[in-house]
Amino acid sequence: VQLQASGGGLVQAGGSLRLSCVVSGRTLSGYNVAWFRQAPGKEREFVAGIRRSGGTTYYADSAKGRFTISRDNAKNTVYLQMNSLKPEDTAAYYCAIDKSLILSSMRDGDAYDYWGQGTLVTVSS
């Protein structure tokens, strides 16, 4: 299984980026998906998640109203649209998938089986 994240870069505060995560080796429709991030010197944190059935989405408080997670099962790709970016959004962003995740574990990174390599987002002030 491979998860290839891309779309990171340098952007000014207030700008937007769209991250993509292409999954190979698995059929994405059968998996719950999430984005996590880790800033230098900080712990990994949940950003957004989307369930495999129904497509219900979940967001960290820091992401609500600014970020949107979506999935295109036909393309085996997950997206994270990030608007109104802030310097505190600077981090490496990782996508992760899991087949049998229970709802209460959606925000727990340790519960995910497969991870991408990360894409770096830098927001300048």
Side-chain angles (χ1 to χ4, degrees), residues 11 14 24 27 30 59 61-62 76 86 89 93-94 98 103 105:
V11 64
S24 57
T27 302
Y59 296 94
D61 288 344
S62 58
N76 250 31
K86 306 174 181 179
D89 295 317
Y93 283 71
Y94 300 87
D98 190 88
L103 182 58
S105 296

Side-chain angles (χ1 to χ4, degrees), residues 5-109:
S6 62
L10 174 63
V11 64
Q12 288 188 332
S16 298
L17 283 173
R18 188 176 81 155
L19 306 184
S20 299
C21 176
V22 179
V23 178
S24 57
R26 290 290 187 272
T27 302
L28 182 63
S29 60
Y31 286 79
N32 305 293
V33 188
W35 287 94
F36 290 80
R37 69 186 182 186
Q38 187 166 20
K42 295 188 177 181
E43 292 187 353
R44 181 182 62 198
E45 62 175 355
F46 171 83
V47 176
I50 185 166
R51 298 289 286 176
R52 63 177 182 176
S53 7
T56 304
T57 56
Y58 303 87
Y59 296 94
D61 288 344
S62 58
K64 284 179 184 176
R66 299 189 300 127
F67 294 2
T68 302
I69 187 171
S70 61
R71 61 194 299 160
D72 185 337
N73 290 335
K75 295 182 178 179
N76 250 31
T77 302
V78 183
Y79 303 99
L80 184 68
Q81 177 67 43
M82 304 188 296
N83 299 327
S84 303
L85 283 162
K86 306 174 181 179
E88 52 263 43
D89 295 317
T90 295
Y93 283 71
Y94 300 87
C95 54
I97 65 172
D98 190 88
K99 192 172 184 67
S100 58
L101 202 62
I102 61 175
L103 182 58
S104 61
S105 296
M106 279 291 292
R107 300 168 187 265
D108 180 3

Side-chain angles (χ1 to χ4, degrees), residues 104-119:
S104 61
S105 296
M106 279 291 292
R107 300 168 187 265
D108 180 3
D110 290 338
Y112 287 79
D113 285 339
Y114 303 107
W115 288 81
Q117 86 289 0
T119 184

